[in-house]
Amino acid sequence: MRRVGIIGVGQSLFGVRNDVTIQELAWEAVREALENAGLAQRDIEISIVGSAGTRAYELYPAVPVNEYSGFSEKGPMRVEAACATGSAALAVAYNMVASGFVNIALAVGVEKMNEVDTATSLAVGGRGGNYLWEYHFYGTTFPAYYALYATSHMARFRTTEEQLALVRVKNQKYAARNPKAQFQFEITVDEVLKSRPITWPLKLYDCSAITDGAAAVIVAGEDVIRKLHVDTPVWIEAIGYASDTSNITRREDYVSLKATKIAAQMAYKKAGIEPKDVEVAEVHDCFTIAEIMAYEDLGFAEKGKGGKFIEEGQSDIGGKVAINLSGGLLGKGHPLGATGLAMIYELVKQLREERERGRQAPLKRYIALAHNIGGTGHYGYVTVLRR
């Protein structure tokens, strides 16, 4: 297995993208990644397309995306892992290069989620765990799932609604500075607390939105990177992965995600690092409680201290680890198939020190982490990057 590095990244504008087809949306990210790597379509040996595809008009998006992007003879392969689809696509591309199957691979994630209305989207999401025993009988949707985690965390650790709100406030501060984010504005704790209830204690601003978007990452083997004379390759040090039960009633508790903990332990061991070594991270904040649990599950904060962690500014620039400087899923947007790769896009930019003033993390060790969850912990991926 050879060392694999990232040589090109791209991301589309996130939001409600009724101005483009799914092919055009994917091409926005692919084109930027190719330009970023200094490559042409002919240099890509295989394309891995990540798309949940549950809300779009294209049931099989890999072939039309590849055709439009100029990769008609480059595969393709499609992967799906719910909200962690982008990370799964990267894992496949990484392993194909690491094993020597190909020298250069492209992972592209794309989703057009606004092809259906909100009620339909929620119903589709509710089928994302265990359809018969949760959605069919009880109508459970994703806000309800994460409200179970929020109320449990609040009951056991006295986490407050104000601490949840601080997650959105922090992430919106950076989304306001991200020209590709869906929501480019700042917000206050009071505005979060006064937003309309969705599923108590989660309010509108505690929840990520329905998003269209695409992201792409080009990976290559170390020998190829040397030949290409890449100035600042970002190395994939480790990819940790895990899963959990489809039916959440079979889980051990509702204050953490087992898939995160297992994937994180695997990634740290493979990379030979500890949580304290990570300087900048993108974590899966589909809801504000999800980010607080991620602090704890990833080892950045003690169990039950995630609320204090955000309150003390430890997840902000200047704290222990700068988290979600892209705006996160809450501010940047959450197009399922693209989310994991958009995390990598942000972290590569951070490690190259290419971010705007006020959004660039100060780095000494140049170690970054991406944490991507599918469903309510059904899939878990933790990727460690190093420059």
Side-chain angles (χ1 to χ4, degrees):
M1 299 289 280
R2 57 180 172 172
R3 200 177 189 195
V4 178
I6 297 169
I7 59 174
V9 290
Q11 185 194 316
S12 74
L13 173 66
F14 280 14
V16 180
R17 296 300 308 275
N18 294 329
D19 57 315
V20 290
T21 64
I22 194 168
Q23 296 97 314
E24 293 167 331
L25 187 61
W27 172 241
E28 287 183 21
V30 171
R31 179 179 58 198
E32 182 183 355
L34 288 169
E35 292 172 353
N36 190 244
L39 300 178
Q41 284 100 326
R42 64 177 178 274
D43 299 312
I44 304 298
E45 294 176 60
I46 194 165
S47 166
I48 314 300
V49 178
S51 179
T54 49
R55 296 163 176 84
Y57 51 81
E58 286 286 2
L59 294 179
Y60 308 108
V63 171
V65 163
N66 257 36
E67 180 184 7
Y68 190 89
S69 297
F71 303 127
S72 290
E73 298 175 359
K74 307 294 186 178
M77 178 186 293
R78 178 192 176 185
V79 299
E80 177 275 318
C83 321
T85 291
S87 291
L90 179 65
V92 172
Y94 166 85
N95 280 300
M96 284 192 164
V97 172
S99 67
F101 189 80
V102 297
N103 291 312
I104 301 175
L106 167 77
V108 54
V110 61
E111 216 74 63
K112 272 183 70 70
M113 299 178 67
N114 284 284
E115 298 298 320
V116 298
D117 59 31
T118 300
T120 303
S121 186
L122 282 170
V124 170
R127 289 164 164 80
N130 187 304
Y131 170 74
L132 281 179
W133 295 105
E134 290 170 359
Y135 183 79
H136 182 75
F137 288 132
Y138 302 106
T140 316
T141 60
F142 265 75
Y145 285 127
Y146 275 93
L148 293 173
Y149 283 96
T151 53
S152 183
H153 206 279
M154 292 166 72
R156 191 178 302 185
F157 304 120
R158 298 189 178 184
T159 305
T160 67
E161 292 180 70
E162 287 77 12
Q163 289 170 337
L164 295 179
L166 282 170
V167 173
R168 185 64 187 253
V169 171
K170 171 183 68 71
N171 293 355
Q172 280 306 139
K173 176 174 68 174
Y174 296 115
R177 295 163 173 78
N178 182 354
K180 294 191 175 186
Q182 183 171 10
F183 302 114
Q184 298 175 31
F185 58 81
E186 295 196 42
I187 199 169
T188 66
V189 169
D190 196 48
E191 287 174 314
V192 177
L193 294 175
K194 288 183 177 178
S195 62
R196 64 183 175 89
I198 302 299
T199 307
W200 192 87
L202 303 179
K203 292 159 283 293
L204 181 66
Y205 286 129
D206 287 301
C207 310
S208 58
I210 299 168
T211 313
D212 305 329
V217 173
I218 298 173
V219 295
E222 184 173 16
D223 50 337
V224 177
I225 289 172
R226 286 201 192 99
K227 291 177 183 177
L228 293 172
H229 303 293
V230 177
D231 293 329
T232 53
V234 171
W235 302 103
I236 300 176
E237 293 292 299
I239 299 177
Y241 54 88
S243 59
D244 206 346
T245 62
S246 64
N247 190 333
I248 68 168
T249 62
R250 298 179 63 192
R251 300 198 184 167
E252 296 167 7
D253 60 45
Y254 299 104
V255 294
S256 67
L257 298 182
K258 183 179 180 180
T260 295
K261 292 189 289 186
I262 295 173
Q265 290 164 7
M266 183 188 298
Y268 291 143
K269 184 176 180 180
K270 286 182 178 180
I273 65 167
E274 298 178 12
K276 63 181 177 61
D277 297 319
V278 177
E279 296 174 290
V280 60
E282 289 285 303
V283 309
H284 199 88
D285 60 320
C286 50
F287 298 89
T288 51
I289 184 60
E291 179 163 328
I292 286 177
M293 290 194 300
Y295 299 158
E296 301 166 359
D297 294 344
L298 292 167
F300 300 145
E302 291 180 35
K303 195 66 209 167
K305 300 294 180 64
K308 286 290 184 184
F309 197 76
I310 180 72
E311 198 171 63
E312 294 171 355
Q314 299 294 355
S315 57
D316 211 336
I317 289 178
K320 288 185 178 179
V321 53
I323 292 176
N324 285 340
L325 302 187
S326 66
L329 284 61
L330 290 165
K332 177 183 60 185
H334 182 25
L336 306 185
T339 289
L341 292 168
M343 291 176 171
I344 301 299
Y345 174 86
E346 176 65 28
L347 293 175
V348 167
K349 293 287 187 177
Q350 289 284 343
L351 291 174
R352 290 176 179 171
E353 298 177 296
E354 295 175 351
R355 275 303 174 221
E356 305 87 347
R357 185 178 179 182
R359 202 159 71 84
Q360 173 64 54
L363 303 171
K364 293 180 180 179
R365 294 180 293 275
Y366 293 87
I367 297 175
L369 178 147
H371 160 251
N372 194 193
I373 289 294
T376 58
H378 297 94
Y379 305 86
Y381 283 88
V382 173
T383 304
V384 176
L385 306 178
R386 189 196 303 258
R387 175 181 158 190

